[in-house]
Amino acid sequence: MSVDRAEEVAGRDETDDVTTTAVRYYSVAPGYRVNVRSGPGTSYRIVRVLPEGARVPIHCQTPGTRVTGPYGTSNIWDNIANGEYISDAYVNTGSDGYVAPRCS
């Protein structure tokens, strides 16, 4: 059995390979517990439920099922984590449009 050994490279930081971008957090509508789905639509399975008062990062946004919520009707879905989406109609972004890059 062999064991790999980690070697330190002089003058190099492990963040050198990562593009750093500030992630902004947004409030979910007060008084709502929001379903987090595995994809951008109501037909995707629920993977968890956000508690009231949750704040979420929006990594990217993509079109999906049109949903009506406290912030209007929208087909924009917010990617809040790997494989996790919530309808933008439940997120206070201050905009009716996209506030983050489109998901690829």
Side-chain angles (χ1 to χ4, degrees):
M1 176 164 108
S2 70
V3 176
D4 289 331
R5 187 172 69 120
E7 293 184 9
E8 195 172 327
V9 178
R12 185 150 189 240
D13 186 296
E14 63 185 48
T15 59
D16 287 352
D17 294 333
V18 178
T19 302
T20 306
T21 56
V23 174
R24 183 170 172 197
Y25 282 74
Y26 297 89
S27 297
V28 172
Y32 287 88
R33 295 181 62 217
V34 178
N35 291 332
V36 178
R37 297 189 176 268
S38 62
T42 56
S43 63
Y44 289 88
R45 70 181 174 80
I46 296 170
V47 295
R48 66 183 173 119
V49 178
L50 295 176
E52 289 185 32
R55 292 178 53 80
V56 295
I58 299 177
H59 300 290
C60 62
Q61 296 176 298
T62 191
T65 305
R66 183 170 294 281
V67 172
T68 298
Y71 297 115
T73 300
S74 178
N75 73 331
I76 298 173
W77 285 74
D78 304 330
N79 175 256
I80 63 168
N82 188 25
E84 296 187 357
Y85 295 83
I86 61 174
S87 171
D88 195 62
Y90 287 87
V91 182
N92 186 7
T93 63
S95 173
D96 289 335
Y98 288 86
V99 296
R102 294 258 183 138
C103 301
S104 53

